[in-house]
Amino acid sequence: MSDVEQTATGDLPGIVVTGASGRMGQMLIRLILESDQARLVGALERTGHDWIGRDIGEAMGGQPAGVQVTDDAVSAIARAQAVIDFTAPAATLGFAELTAQARAVHVIGTTGFEDADLAQLAAAGRHAPIIRAGNMSLGVNLLVGLTRKVAAALGEDWDIEVVEAHHRHKVDAPSGTALMLGEAAAEGRGAALADLRTPAREGITGAREAGTIGFSAIRGGDVVGEHDVIFATEGERVVLRHLATDRAIFARGAIRAALWGQDKGPGEYDMADVLGLN
Ligand SMILES: NC(=O)C1=CN([C@@H]2O[C@H](COP(=O)(O)OP(=O)(O)OC[C@H]3O[C@@H](n4cnc5c(N)ncnc54)[C@H](OP(=O)(O)O)[C@@H]3O)[C@@H](O)[C@H]2O)C=CC1
Ligand SMILES: O=C(O)C1=N[C@H](C(=O)O)C[C@H](O)C1
């Protein structure tokens, strides 16, 4: 039976993973291959990558998985009920167009988007469901709600700082998670993050402006992802913290989102929708 016939008759949603050789790509593929709720129907890499044409299981150093790594995104996505995408903003915008055309669910974990990119994703979301979150873990999505509540409960004399640490390979800052937490804190204060955000400090910055939300980023070694939201006032501090020690938490969230999205109409969703936290 061809791949296309299998997709038409298969019971389980077929998932394509983009950035298949990446840290998240490999974790996703491992978990989808182990899953009894989804099937791997494609593994995408960019043209020229030395995994193209190889079986993805073997390329990852394991048993054959029966899926060859390809750079043919159009054909791969045409076979998919969902695309899980942890790559880079430029790549994700391209995949969003193809996924919208295929009317498949697009689960986006990629971070580092500019406002113009988000407008393009909104356009794609008018044709098929997009589920996007800077962090797909249950713990962080719970922390977002806590951050909103604490920010609302504490007045402006409590300064808010978001501090994050990640591995040496991470290319964007602040992290997508830090921005989610900052947005929640701003919402708790009844404002938009754009109006309160103070970027990384350097030099003679002057004293801290009341009511602002500061961001600091540490990069080093193999840190999977650590986030603190610090509420500081005269004489005391409250610190809300999430520590990720295994990328499986993000991959499990993304697979759950791909399955959740199967009966959803076009639109933009996030992990709070998937987890029923809204
Ligand atoms: N939302 C969440 O829960 C999480 C989000 N992330 C985010 O996911 C993204 C990926 O992270 P990570 O897996 O660590 O990164 P990696 O660099 O390990 O993997 C990225 C993958 O995407 C591929 N890629 C990059 N650019 C393109 C392109 N233009 N076209 C096709 N493929 C491309 C890379 O290929 P190549 O190697 O050839 O460049 C690589 O295979 C980041 O934005 C990160 O912040 C990460 C963890 C959790
Ligand atoms: O790049 C990473 O690794 C991670 N990126 C996400 C982010 O930008 O917050 C999520 C997680 O922290 C790991």
Side-chain angles (χ1 to χ4, degrees), residues 27 135 137 140 165-166 222-227 241-250 252:
M27 178 60 77
N135 195 303
S137 73
V140 158
H166 283 87
D222 62 356
V223 179
V224 173
E226 302 183 355
H227 293 87
R241 167 171 293 175
H242 182 267
L243 303 178
T245 55
D246 185 344
R247 287 185 177 83
I249 60 171
F250 312 129
R252 279 199 292 268

Side-chain angles (χ1 to χ4, degrees), residues 196-212:
L196 302 184
R197 178 172 171 177
T198 299
R201 301 183 183 87
E202 194 183 308
I204 310 296
T205 60
R208 195 181 195 290
E209 198 184 325
T212 55

Side-chain angles (χ1 to χ4, degrees), residues 25 33 42 86 124 168 176 187 190 250 262 278:
L33 290 174
F86 286 67
R168 61 165 68 108
E187 274 169 37
F250 312 129
Q262 289 307 303
N278 276 333

Side-chain angles (χ1 to χ4, degrees), residues 111 134-135 166-167 170 172 175-177 224-225 227 250:
T111 57
N135 195 303
H166 283 87
H167 52 92
K170 187 162 178 63
D172 56 311
S175 68
T177 312
V224 173
H227 293 87
F250 312 129

